């Protein structure tokens, strides 16, 4: 009889738990950044947490991407993933600037990012579940 993890496509195996924990960590660190008082020591600590979390999530995405493409187009697929990430790193600060120009505080911008990060985490888990679901014979 298949377990709940295997029927969910293996999403809640060790890798799925690590993915969910990584995205939740980034969301929590961003929420802390938006909610804590702006003291230098607090900000340095929290920004360090956000940076570590973002690097972790990037590493996870770069590890998953090659497994999502057949060997014939793997290089192109991963290249597109990297290119989209670079476009996001350009568009993100522009959109943050637009939000600040509309009157949202920098702390508010961080809080706006929390649901975005959580949705990205769910999308990554869905990708893992879809890609690694068991094949029925």
């Amino acid at each position: 009889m298949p377990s709940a993890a295997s029927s969910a496509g293996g999403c809640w195996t060790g890798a799925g738990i690590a993915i969910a924990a990584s995205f939740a960590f980034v969301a929590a660190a961003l929420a802390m950044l938006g909610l804590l008082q702006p003291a230098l020591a607090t900000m340095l600590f929290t920004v360090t947490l956000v940076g570590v979390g973002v690097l972790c999530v990037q590493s996870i995405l770069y590890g998953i991407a090659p497994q999502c493409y057949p060997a014939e187009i793997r290089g192109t697929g991963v290249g597109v993933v990297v290119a989209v990430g670079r476009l996001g790193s350009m568009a993100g600060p522009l959109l943050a600037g637009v939000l600040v120009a509309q009157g949202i505080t920098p702390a508010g911008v961080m809080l706006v990012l929390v649901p975005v990060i959580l949705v990205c985490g769910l999308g990554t888990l869905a990708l893992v579940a879809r890609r690694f679901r068991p094949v029925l014979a």
Side-chain angles (χ1 to χ4, degrees), residues 54 58 61-62 77-93:
V54 167
Q58 268 186 319
L61 293 176
Y62 286 152
V78 172
V80 169
V81 168
V82 171
V84 168
R86 300 280 165 95
L87 290 173
S89 69
M90 290 184 279

Side-chain angles (χ1 to χ4, degrees), residues 57-77:
V57 167
Q58 268 186 319
S59 298
I60 286 171
L61 293 176
Y62 286 152
I64 291 171
Q67 301 171 27
C68 295
Y69 298 99
E72 303 82 38
I73 62 165
R74 188 166 294 147
T76 303

